[in-house]
Amino acid sequence: MTKTDIAPQNAPKRVFIKTYGCQMNVYDSDRMADALAPHGYMPTQELGEADLVLLNTCHIREKASEKVFSELGRLKEVQGERRAAGADMMIGVAGCVAQAEGEEIARRAPMVDMVFGPQAYHRLPDMLARAQAQRHLHPSLKKAVVDTDFPEEDKFAHLPAAKKEVTIKRGLTAFLTVQEGCDKFCSFCVVPYTRGAEVSRPVAQVLAEARGLVEAGVKEITLLGQNVNAYHGVDAAGRSVGLGELAYLLAEITGLERLRYTTSHPRDMDDALIAAHRDLPLLMPYLHLPVQSGSDRILKAMNRKHTAAEYLALIERIKTARPDMALSGDFIVGFPGETDQDFEDTLSIIRQTGYASAYSFKYSTRPGTPGANLTGQIAEEVKTERLYRLQELVNQQTTDFHASCVGKTMPVLIERVGRMPGQVGGRSPYLQAVHLEGSTDLIGAIHEVEIVGTSTNSLVGRLKQAVAA
Ligand code: SAH
Ligand code: SF4
Ligand code: F3S
């Protein structure tokens, strides 16, 4: 390296990325950072030193969407301060709000330089160059660079491979997006519009990325997709490979110890995937399988294309294959037309299934979805009351699940130093946080831990076996 390479004019620029929404956005934010690194942008956690700010946004509910505009209001001040100090701060809005609202964002927030959807991330360096070319223009002549096209080319093939330095920062666990978009069109949901049609990454691409992650020290991979179990990537022979078969292929990677996937749709839980749960110890016995409602009438109106009984039968089949399977779910209360009886049916399916954890939401009307045109919208107080009752039930189930772990011995991936001196912390197969007394030498491997108690939202453990010499 010559001296000029490290001269001040070549000092790295800083990018501050703020991520909202689901894990796919977390993964995408890392990939945007990877795509910018060769262009001299290094990630920063300090907004005040950022030359570029990217908001990776979520459109799933109204509240999530509105956060963007309040954040932009705050950023405008910081941008003003940076400019007064002779520096600059470019602002880009990415993610699902960008895809849904496009130009409208630039109109509402003129200080935004770029607006681009999830299918355009590989074009980010090019967009940035175009936005920068305008930076010396008079503000009235500037025009935000907007890219919300769904391109023909494969975004993933054009994004740089995950970087080792970045990967290490991500630690022992990593996300890997294998499928994107959705063709299900549940009547409440914006995802098919913001992420586009279902696309699966080819098998070789997924395996190569997984191997790279494992070589960099990753022990646990979570495969991501809006509909991850609808995965159907092509292999070298041009055959379509489902998620079950993909799991068997990933299980062959030496050093990969744990595999998870999220989010699944009940209709795509096929026999091959259930068999993989039976056969592959690395496939963790913890499944996020949202049902949304326990009422057949509401399930139909939501366009979920299955009944409550079919969901319960599916859970039975999964538990037959993997008896220690724990479940997590998503629920929407107050979907248009939801009666007291429909809501009772939801409580009933929760009681029958028994969840280790669950996420629950009040129905939020999303413009452009079929649900927005339905009559029978539910009053806010009714939604609030139903959400409260539902959460009371699932919180009790979570507490019971944690309590049922006491006395059991389970493998824990020790990931970090604990909250107290002399403690380390990790995750159980069921994604519970576990704290135990132990040396930092334990970090980075899976150890057998006896669960001796519970505390708020976590388990207390005791190391069962000494580390092998
Ligand atoms: N693909 C996943 C879910 C993606 S969105 C699936 O099919 O299950 C994550 C969760 O947000 C959904 O499961 C749903 O519970 C919730 N959600 C989606 N749209 C919503 C809306 N309009 N109002 C309230 N909650 C919503
Ligand atoms: Fe949305 Fe339904 Fe697709 Fe899930 S399956 S992303 S809830 S449309
Ligand atoms: Fe939100 Fe888009 Fe994910 S709407 S939940 S960030 S797919």
Side-chain angles (χ1 to χ4, degrees):
M1 195 186 271
T2 63
K3 262 207 160 122
T4 44
D5 285 333
I6 48 167
Q9 65 267 34
N10 287 339
K13 294 189 169 181
R14 300 285 167 188
V15 54
F16 177 94
I17 306 182
K18 185 157 182 177
T19 309
Y20 304 83
C22 63
Q23 291 108 324
M24 297 202 62
N25 268 10
V26 175
Y27 176 86
D28 287 344
S29 289
D30 282 342
R31 302 313 298 275
M32 283 194 266
D34 292 347
L36 287 169
H39 299 270
Y41 283 85
M42 291 300 134
T44 179
Q45 311 295 326
E46 292 292 327
L47 183 59
E49 64 171 28
D51 303 289
L52 170 64
V53 175
L54 296 178
L55 302 182
N56 194 4
T57 61
C58 174
H59 195 55
I60 201 84
R61 286 169 289 273
E62 193 180 349
K63 268 195 191 141
S65 238
E66 280 306 314
K67 277 187 193 153
V68 183
F69 292 100
S70 52
E71 184 63 22
L72 284 173
R74 200 168 72 95
L75 282 180
K76 195 174 172 189
E77 273 178 40
V78 187
Q79 193 185 43
E81 285 163 19
R82 290 268 303 166
R83 284 187 180 155
D88 197 12
M89 180 191 265
M90 313 268 294
I91 298 177
V93 179
C96 293
V97 178
Q99 185 64 47
E101 304 207 357
E103 297 273 358
E104 181 59 25
I105 297 177
R107 254 194 301 276
R108 267 178 81 176
M111 44 15 131
V112 169
D113 299 286
M114 298 178 289
V115 178
F116 53 103
Q119 302 310 324
Y121 295 161
H122 55 302
R123 293 196 290 257
L124 175 55
D126 170 56
M127 284 187 272
L128 190 57
R130 282 194 283 145
Q132 273 167 341
Q134 300 190 36
R135 72 194 318 175
H136 300 299
L137 291 180
H138 185 269
S140 64
L141 297 173
K142 276 194 195 172
K143 209 173 166 324
V145 176
V146 178
D147 188 342
T148 51
D149 288 345
F150 287 112
E152 286 294 309
E153 77 264 17
D154 174 5
K155 161 178 82 168
F156 293 108
H158 288 78
L159 278 168
K163 286 240 169 346
K164 200 171 171 183
E165 309 82 74
V166 182
T167 307
I168 286 172
K169 190 167 62 66
R170 286 174 203 154
L172 299 164
T173 63
F175 292 136
L176 200 178
T177 295
V178 298
Q179 179 276 340
E180 196 174 1
C182 183
D183 295 340
K184 294 275 190 300
F185 291 93
C186 301
S187 59
F188 51 81
C189 185
V190 291
V191 170
Y193 312 96
T194 63
R195 292 274 172 170
E198 231 174 77
V199 177
S200 294
R201 295 176 69 184
V203 174
Q205 223 185 70
V206 172
L207 294 179
E209 188 160 328
R211 280 192 209 102
L213 290 168
V214 173
E215 274 164 27
V218 167
K219 307 269 184 225
E220 173 179 308
I221 291 180
T222 302
L223 306 177
L224 298 181
Q226 269 89 23
N227 236 297
V228 70
N229 58 347
Y231 176 83
H232 54 278
V234 287
D235 69 4
R239 235 171 24 95
S240 174
V241 169
L243 191 67
E245 196 180 337
L246 183 70
Y248 287 91
L249 295 171
L250 286 162
E252 285 169 19
I253 298 177
T254 313
L256 178 60
E257 304 198 33
R258 287 181 164 186
L259 189 61
R260 305 178 185 276
Y261 56 91
T262 196
T263 294
S264 299
H265 192 288
R267 281 184 53 93
D268 295 313
M269 241 13 249
D270 62 12
D271 290 343
L273 185 53
I274 295 175
H277 277 288
R278 180 195 62 209
D279 298 343
L280 301 174
L282 101 163
L283 202 49
M284 288 295 100
Y286 181 71
L287 178 62
H288 187 61
L289 195 62
V291 66
Q292 316 295 356
S293 167
S295 152
D296 287 345
R297 225 172 52 78
I298 296 297
L299 284 170
K300 189 156 196 288
M302 286 177 164
N303 196 30
R304 293 290 290 184
K305 298 202 172 84
H306 66 77
T307 62
E310 281 161 354
Y311 180 81
L312 290 168
L314 174 62
I315 301 290
E316 277 303 309
R317 276 169 56 222
I318 296 168
K319 286 198 168 169
T320 306
R322 184 80 209 224
D324 60 341
M325 181 68 82
L327 290 150
S328 124
D330 290 346
F331 298 92
I332 295 177
V333 299
F335 186 81
E338 185 185 73
T339 61
D340 285 340
Q341 184 55 51
D342 293 321
F343 176 64
E344 290 303 326
D345 291 347
T346 299
L347 296 180
S348 165
I349 205 169
I350 294 173
R351 285 192 200 96
Q352 289 175 79
T353 305
Y355 288 94
S357 77
Y359 302 88
S360 46
F361 314 96
K362 291 184 207 176
Y363 171 70
S364 167
T365 307
R366 306 311 290 129
T369 61
N373 303 324
L374 293 175
T375 53
Q377 300 285 335
I378 304 296
E380 191 60 26
E381 319 77 83
V382 177
K383 288 185 195 172
T384 305
E385 199 258 341
R386 287 180 185 167
L387 187 70
Y388 177 79
R389 283 183 61 203
L390 190 151
Q391 289 184 340
E392 223 178 12
L393 175 60
V394 291
N395 288 345
Q396 186 56 51
Q397 292 193 337
T398 302
T399 307
D400 292 348
F401 180 69
H402 287 335
S404 76
C405 295
V406 176
K408 290 188 181 151
T409 295
M410 51 180 81
V412 173
L413 174 58
I414 313 271
E415 292 172 302
R416 57 183 176 273
V417 292
R419 272 177 275 173
M420 303 293 195
Q423 270 195 348
V424 288
R427 293 270 166 191
S428 79
Y430 311 106
L431 267 189
Q432 298 147 298
V434 183
H435 300 279
L436 57 142
E437 301 286 319
S439 113
T440 51
D441 295 347
L442 300 173
I443 296 172
I446 293 173
H447 297 275
E448 288 297 317
V449 171
E450 183 187 350
I451 306 304
V452 293
T454 61
S455 71
T456 334
N457 296 323
S458 66
L459 301 178
V460 184
R462 189 189 296 137
L463 192 65
K464 196 73 185 200
Q465 64 183 28
V467 202

